[in-house]
Amino acid sequence: MSRQSFVIIGNGPAANQAAVSLRNQSSDSKITLLSKDPFRGYLPHLLPDFISGTIGEESLYFRPHTHYKERDIFLRLGQKAVEVDFSKRIIVLEHREIISFDGLIIATGGKPRIPEYYQLFEDLMLTLKTPVDARLWISKLERVDSILMLGGDLTSLSLTRALLKMGKTIQFIINEDCFWPVPFSNQIYEAVTQRLGSDGVEVIHCNKIKRVTRIDENLVEVETNSMTFRTGAIGAFFGLVPDVRFLVRSGLDIDRGILVDEFLKTRFEDVFVAGDCAQVYHPALRTYWGSIGYQNATTLGRIAASNLLGSRVEAMVAPESLFDVGGVKVNTSWWMEF
Ligand SMILES: Cc1cc2nc3c(=O)[nH]c(=O)nc-3n(C[C@H](O)[C@H](O)[C@H](O)COP(=O)(O)OP(=O)(O)OC[C@H]3O[C@@H](n4cnc5c(N)ncnc54)[C@H](O)[C@@H]3O)c2cc1C
């Protein structure tokens, strides 16, 4: 009988945990990890330290290549999945190669979220998700001294700290969308404004930017409802949204993320979802929840692997850590840390 073939789309914390858990519980299966990124799995929360030079690039990556060889896990970097046919049990890669699977875990994580009203200026804004984004920041920071931060998620706060350490001048625009997915409250607003102010950051009070004009490569002009000013670069930080667009025509149920039951199973046999891209049913609440966070990603990775192998482990989150964001329950546990 041929070896069972398990494929995991993704190479972040959820995917890596799923791969290790699968290997621990099924020594003779074939396990393949697919990543659209050309680099090894990395820890996104260390990117601000990399940008400020506190750590070197190598410290970002959480597993050496030998890890995969030793565990007989086939890691395929720079291989983007563009289509999945669940009835034929095949994945189509961007270069049109077809990979078949007996069991599949989707762990494609999230990508930076830009609110619709800022999408017009998107090309003039820097985001931060991958080491490639971080290198863009590093190259920009060699040339500019002032940065405008838009948003307010935890990423922007830790990057702001790193930029201040580098001696940069920071302006910050906070509006009602800025703590997404944490609902906006005056209490959070006051706490963050006070903290930024005491760190030497100028907080600009405005609802939305009206205009952004590129003056030259290292200067943009920004107009709000109350002032016009110039800055060297703009960073946009409005949280992460699940990276599942390539699956919208696949027959999976997709809302904010991919809808799965409490066992992380999709409507298709032997297909599970883990990490930031999952939206999980909560039987007690009778609704779905999602989460953006490292701990949640590894926990779901472990559960998805066990359930793919036949267990019935429930993925649970405490109802008190769930917030309602636009009708979706969001587990914001790590966002509450600041
Ligand atoms: C700057 C920053 C700071 C953060 N700080 C914290 C923190 O302090 N604490 C915390 O808990 N969380 C933090 N987070 C969030 C945390 O990093 C994520 O929740 C976690 O990485 C999610 O893991 P994941 O495996 O679900 O997805 P990801 O880490 O997003 O990995 C997704 C993987 O899927 C791959 N992929 C996507 N689409 C495809 C495709 N079509 N084909 C093939 N591969 C694909 C990608 O290449 C990637 O390897 C931070 C995130 C950022 C960006």
Side-chain angles (χ1 to χ4, degrees), residues 10-11 13-14 35-37 44-45 81 108-109 128-129 155 275-276 293-294 334:
N11 185 31
S35 173
K36 68 177 176 185
D37 296 328
H45 68 270
T108 50
L128 184 59
K129 171 72 205 303
T155 313
D276 284 2
Y294 179 85
W334 76 276

Side-chain angles (χ1 to χ4, degrees), residues 29-50:
S29 58
K30 181 179 176 200
I31 300 172
T32 304
L33 275 175
L34 291 176
S35 173
K36 68 177 176 185
D37 296 328
F39 37 79
R40 276 180 288 150
Y42 62 96
L43 295 167
H45 68 270
L46 294 181
L47 292 171
D49 288 339
F50 169 50

